[in-house]
Amino acid sequence: MNIFEKLKHFQKVMPDKQALVSVNRSVCYAELAELIELGASSLYLNGIKPGDNVGLLIADELEHILASLSLLALGARQITLPSRDSSETHRDIIERTSLNRIVADQLQIDDNWDSGLNYIDWSNMLSGSVKTTIPSSEGMLFINTSGTTTKSNIILFTETQISHQAAR
């Protein structure tokens, strides 16, 4: 069972329970599953396909997790580009992971603009009501190690591997 299927299960068995909480907003499981489905559909309609390598550059934590879960539901591979990192660090990660696109909020796009990259503005992804059928595929996360003694390693994990590790 992938992460989106688990969210759909929680939507049925505990729809009113809080799933995500931030300073300004909380999201229950009923709403979360809907937002993830809408986010995945919107990203798909904006050109992201299952298996694409996507960077994620969103400073707001709640919006970041919504975009990340949407990318997982879509079956994309993703890596976070921390907003605090330099453009040189971003460029290194982008090159090492062969990113096709970067999902960012408008402020991050304005601050990090590189005309050679394909940015998708996350800011309005959840405001529409368009849903579409997406080909089923397992999402993946690139995890960047600390790199304290040398250049960091970037390791790719599937949803299944992450779920097994979480269970441990």
Side-chain angles (χ1 to χ4, degrees):
M1 184 182 303
N2 66 29
I3 290 173
F4 185 65
E5 290 167 339
K6 288 178 183 178
L7 288 175
K8 293 296 275 185
H9 171 73
F10 291 147
Q11 180 185 38
K12 290 177 186 167
V13 298
M14 55 176 127
D16 298 325
K17 293 276 187 185
Q18 290 181 334
L20 300 173
V21 179
S22 74
V23 174
N24 301 321
R25 182 177 174 200
S26 72
V27 177
C28 64
Y29 280 106
E31 182 184 7
L32 180 59
E34 292 297 318
L35 289 172
I36 301 312
E37 188 173 13
L38 180 59
S41 293
S42 296
L43 291 167
Y44 184 76
L45 292 171
N46 276 274
I48 297 178
K49 303 297 184 249
D52 280 353
N53 293 348
V54 180
L56 192 52
L57 182 60
I58 301 174
D60 180 273
E61 291 174 344
L62 183 63
E63 291 300 322
H64 179 96
I65 193 72
L66 291 172
S68 180
L69 290 170
S70 296
L71 286 165
L72 283 175
L74 177 56
R77 299 175 192 163
Q78 62 180 287
I79 189 165
T80 296
L81 301 169
S83 55
R84 69 183 180 282
D85 284 355
S86 68
S87 58
E88 293 81 27
T89 301
H90 286 174
R91 174 61 55 201
D92 177 61
I93 292 170
I94 290 165
E95 288 174 4
R96 290 170 60 201
T97 56
S98 303
L99 296 184
N100 305 84
R101 306 190 191 287
I102 295 177
V103 174
D105 56 33
Q106 188 59 53
L107 179 62
Q108 298 300 324
I109 293 171
D110 293 343
D111 289 348
N112 293 283
W113 179 253
D114 179 337
S115 61
L117 295 173
N118 188 351
Y119 289 92
I120 295 174
D121 184 6
W122 175 256
S123 305
N124 299 312
M125 287 290 157
L126 302 178
S127 62
S129 60
V130 177
K131 291 183 185 174
T132 189
T133 303
I134 299 169
S136 180
S137 182
E138 185 173 39
M140 301 175 107
L141 290 171
F142 288 104
I143 306 294
N144 199 357
T145 64
S146 63
T148 54
T149 57
T150 65
K151 195 174 203 176
S152 66
N153 292 315
I154 299 175
I155 304 163
L156 188 60
F157 289 97
T158 65
E159 283 184 67
T160 302
Q161 291 170 321
I162 294 166
S163 291
H164 289 155
Q165 183 62 32
R168 280 185 232 134

